[in-house]
Amino acid sequence: MHSAKRIAVIGAGGKTTTLSKLADLHRTARVLLTTTTHIFPFSPPVCDRLCIAPTTEEITQALAQPGVVCAGVPSKNGKLTGLSEEILQAASQSADWIFYEADGARCLPLKLHADTEPVILPGTAHCFVVAGLSAWGKPICEVVHRYQLREDWAQNPGRLVDGAVIADCVRDAVRACGLPHAHLTVLLNQADTVTEKVEEIAAMVRELEAEGLTCKTCSLQEDGDLAKILSLEGIL
């Protein structure tokens, strides 16, 4: 039986952009954009069709032709929350790809994960872990969502973010999502904001890659190499 490939996006500092770009790169197929937590609805040109609280028939019909469908259930503050298991199963049988956001970051560039997140769907084939390099040099308390979960950071909230802090946020996401390293790609986004830190970023990448992680340094908003950065060929 046909089943869509499920791709998660977690972390902070570019998740929405990552989802938008993934959808755009695959829009000749049948794509569902959704969440297991909360997202703002995607609108054109990212999304071709918006399905709010769809029935199984409505989601199946929306995904019957190529293009990008954003779907979810209304939540507070204009956001959408995740689809029911029944609707998700119907979508899986119609879509080719399901790209979904699996945690929240309150629009900050870095985050730590609570015990209840990320919410990874069964059968997820790959996960993009995003971290925002724009946090570099700023106080942890200003740029790391849930920084208090680390006791040493809670005791020193004014500590400035460096490569060690960013790497620890990446490690936290990797641990929390629970997928094998081979099913993960780390996107160190917003490289355009820290052009003077090239050597420090390279050292951080070497350290993470020595732990078996695939890392890509990028500026998702303006990178001309996006297809290569977000490629799922050879991964799935």
Side-chain angles (χ1 to χ4, degrees):
M1 187 174 69
H2 172 88
S3 186
K5 294 182 178 72
R6 299 177 173 192
I7 310 296
V9 179
I10 69 171
K15 284 189 308 232
T16 302
T17 304
T18 301
L19 285 163
S20 300
K21 304 293 185 183
L22 280 167
D24 195 48
L25 286 167
H26 294 86
R27 67 183 325 117
T28 54
R30 295 166 301 172
V31 173
L32 173 63
L33 273 181
T34 190
T35 183
T36 53
T37 51
H38 297 89
I39 55 167
F40 283 108
F42 286 89
S43 53
V46 173
C47 151
D48 300 307
R49 297 178 286 286
L50 182 60
C51 289
I52 305 295
T55 63
T56 53
E57 292 79 14
E58 286 168 344
I59 197 74
T60 300
Q61 189 176 0
L63 289 164
Q65 56 194 354
V68 181
V69 174
C70 176
V73 176
S75 181
K76 53 189 178 185
N77 304 323
K79 289 191 170 186
L80 299 177
T81 189
L83 299 165
S84 70
E85 182 60 31
E86 180 190 1
I87 305 297
L88 205 54
Q89 284 301 333
S92 290
Q93 290 167 31
S94 301
D96 299 304
W97 298 93
I98 296 177
F99 298 121
Y100 70 97
E101 182 173 316
D103 60 14
R106 299 277 170 89
C107 298
L108 294 174
L110 294 172
K111 74 163 287 164
L112 295 177
H113 288 81
D115 293 343
T116 54
E117 57 175 6
V119 182
I120 301 293
L121 293 171
T124 293
H126 200 77
C127 179
F128 288 95
V129 177
V130 187
L133 295 172
S134 65
W136 203 298
K138 300 185 174 108
I140 281 176
C141 61
E142 293 179 13
V143 290
V144 182
H145 181 42
R146 294 206 177 94
Y147 73 91
Q148 302 95 329
L149 291 173
R150 276 270 305 243
E151 191 178 338
D152 54 332
W153 294 358
Q155 289 174 354
N156 185 14
R159 176 183 169 183
L160 301 183
V161 171
D162 56 9
V165 169
I166 295 171
D168 278 350
C169 288
V170 169
R171 291 184 186 104
D172 173 80
V174 168
R175 174 200 56 76
C177 88
L179 291 176
H181 286 192
H183 294 247
L184 301 171
T185 301
V186 176
L187 301 176
L188 297 168
N189 187 31
Q190 305 168 340
D192 54 308
T193 65
V194 282
T195 49
E196 75 285 0
K197 299 290 183 186
V198 173
E199 287 180 17
E200 291 99 321
I201 292 167
M204 176 176 61
V205 167
R206 283 194 299 273
E207 192 174 304
L208 290 169
E209 290 190 332
E211 295 168 22
L213 293 166
T214 298
C215 296
K216 299 182 180 183
T217 305
C218 53
S219 304
L220 289 168
Q221 291 279 15
E222 55 188 48
D223 219 306
D225 227 8
L226 272 176
K228 194 186 297 182
I229 292 165
L230 296 176
S231 174
L232 289 158
E233 291 177 21
I235 290 175
L236 304 180

